[in-house]
Amino acid sequence: MATTQIIAEPGIPQLVVSREFLAPREVLFRAYIDPDLLRQWPGPRRLTMTIDRFDPRDGGIWRFIHSEGDDADHGSHGVFHGDPSRERIVWTFESEDFPGHVRLETVMFGERGGLTVVRQNTVYQSVEDRDAAVASGMEEGINESMDRLDELLGRLVPVN
Amino acid sequence: MATTQIIAEPGIPQLVVSREFLAPREVLFRAYIDPDLLRQWPGPRRLTMTIDRFDPRDGGIWRFIHSEGDDADHGSHGVFHGDPSRERIVWTFESEDFPGHVRLETVMFGERGGLTVVRQNTVYQSVEDRDAAVASGMEEGINESMDRLDELLGRLVPVN
């Protein structure tokens, strides 16, 4: 299984996540855009994700809720910028646990041989915001999300 | 008259503009939020700005058009993130001349003595995008915008 690369350079308000998947780009794109697939992978395994709103088109709003048993729900939301394409998706992201701290995320889908390379670029309003996000344990969430996405693709794309 | 400070550090996908104004914060906020005032200052002097859409609330869309005589119009648009407050306004920005290149902008209003300090923080999807914007002559537009804003405030706040 491929590993997830997470790059957070000191002093730069940016985080770059990349990972290779053994699946066609079209299938990767569907996993990001089809609500029935999307609800299966983002976030750490211990949380359950519910899609409250999801309108993947220019100006459309999304809102997810992550829940863990009786704990408080964790909402997040944002806005699509441009219509999602098989090349890239752009959206903003705001955790409702930290209102007013907004991120701009760009997901790019590249093809390399039979692989699809997903590169997710996030820019933050400040280095402090980026560092706080990293310190909050987001790495666990990113790694588990990418692993769960890989497992989902495995179920969608049988490897002979 | 105060001068506008523009900081674009090498290798960081960010631009910070700051300027002091001899006016109360409340008046600065109005100049950013009241369409009758707002239409008077953003952009270089040679262009005329029209407000096509402007809905300053969480999730609200804005769209401006800058025109110069018979030349093609230059549209730009974005989405407010959070309700604008006298402390800060957050919106996204996309020039329709360069679709798909999105910026995340945060305007902060601080008070220092009788002055209001405006600090505008813009993060870009990449250093390349930031550098391309700087190379396109945006500095002229920023300086003239800030000067025009200062002139507008002078008309609104008589100095004895």
Side-chain angles (χ1 to χ4, degrees):
Chain A
M1 195 167 69
T3 55
T4 303
Q5 191 178 41
I6 303 177
I7 298 176
E9 286 188 55
I12 299 181
Q14 187 175 30
L15 189 90
V16 180
V17 174
S18 59
R19 168 121 174 196
E20 292 179 346
F21 295 94
L22 187 57
R25 178 158 71 170
E26 173 66 28
V27 179
L28 255 303
F29 179 67
R30 273 184 50 215
Y32 274 81
I33 283 302
D34 178 338
D36 288 336
L37 301 181
L38 181 60
R39 76 179 84 250
Q40 299 184 46
W41 64 268
R45 295 183 196 276
R46 64 189 162 77
L47 302 182
T48 304
M49 187 177 101
T50 311
I51 298 179
D52 177 42
R53 299 178 69 174
F54 192 68
D55 185 16
R57 62 187 172 88
D58 189 23
I61 289 175
W62 64 266
R63 182 169 186 266
F64 302 158
I65 299 161
H66 282 87
S67 314
E68 180 179 16
D70 296 334
D71 261 20
D73 290 343
H74 303 283
S76 55
H77 65 266
V79 182
F80 287 91
H81 281 66
D83 290 322
S85 76
R86 279 144 193 78
E87 281 74 41
R88 50 190 239 141
I89 305 172
V90 180
W91 62 60
T92 52
F93 175 102
E94 190 174 354
S95 164
E96 294 167 11
D97 293 343
F98 304 98
H101 297 268
V102 184
R103 311 169 188 175
L104 173 61
E105 304 198 339
T106 309
V107 182
M108 288 155 279
F109 303 102
E111 293 178 313
R112 187 188 300 158
L115 302 170
T116 299
V117 183
V118 175
R119 190 166 177 275
Q120 182 163 320
N121 173 58
T122 303
V123 286
Y124 296 76
Q125 287 163 301
S126 66
V127 172
E128 292 71 27
D129 273 11
R130 195 278 312 268
D131 290 347
V134 170
S136 77
M138 76 185 306
E139 201 175 338
E140 175 205 4
I142 291 170
N143 280 318
E144 290 197 14
S145 295
M146 292 291 105
D147 287 349
R148 294 173 73 195
L149 174 56
D150 194 60
E151 292 158 18
L152 170 65
L153 296 170
R155 295 194 294 276
L156 297 174
V157 187
V159 179
N160 294 316
Chain B
M1 195 167 70
T3 55
T4 302
Q5 191 178 39
I6 303 176
I7 297 176
E9 287 188 55
I12 300 181
Q14 186 175 33
L15 188 90
V16 179
V17 175
S18 57
R19 168 120 175 197
E20 293 180 345
F21 295 95
L22 187 57
R25 178 158 70 170
E26 172 66 28
V27 178
L28 255 302
F29 179 67
R30 273 184 51 213
Y32 274 81
I33 283 303
D34 178 338
D36 288 336
L37 300 180
L38 180 60
R39 78 180 85 248
Q40 298 184 49
W41 64 267
R45 296 183 195 277
R46 63 189 162 77
L47 302 182
T48 304
M49 188 177 101
T50 311
I51 297 179
D52 178 41
R53 299 178 69 174
F54 192 69
D55 185 16
R57 61 186 173 89
D58 188 24
I61 289 174
W62 64 267
R63 182 168 185 266
F64 302 157
I65 299 161
H66 282 89
S67 312
E68 181 178 15
D70 296 335
D71 262 20
D73 290 344
H74 303 283
S76 54
H77 65 266
V79 181
F80 287 92
H81 282 65
D83 290 321
S85 76
R86 278 144 193 78
E87 280 73 43
R88 50 190 239 141
I89 305 172
V90 180
W91 62 61
T92 52
F93 176 101
E94 189 173 355
S95 164
E96 293 167 12
D97 294 342
F98 305 98
H101 298 268
V102 184
R103 309 169 189 176
L104 174 60
E105 303 198 339
T106 308
V107 182
M108 289 155 278
F109 303 102
E111 293 179 313
R112 187 188 301 158
L115 302 170
T116 299
V117 183
V118 175
R119 189 165 177 277
Q120 181 162 321
N121 172 59
T122 303
V123 286
Y124 295 77
Q125 288 163 301
S126 66
V127 172
E128 292 70 26
D129 274 10
R130 195 278 311 268
D131 289 347
V134 170
S136 76
M138 77 185 306
E139 201 175 338
E140 176 206 4
I142 291 170
N143 280 318
E144 290 197 14
S145 295
M146 293 290 106
D147 287 349
R148 294 173 73 195
L149 173 55
D150 194 60
E151 292 158 18
L152 170 65
L153 296 170
R155 295 194 295 275
L156 296 174
V157 187
V159 180
N160 296 313

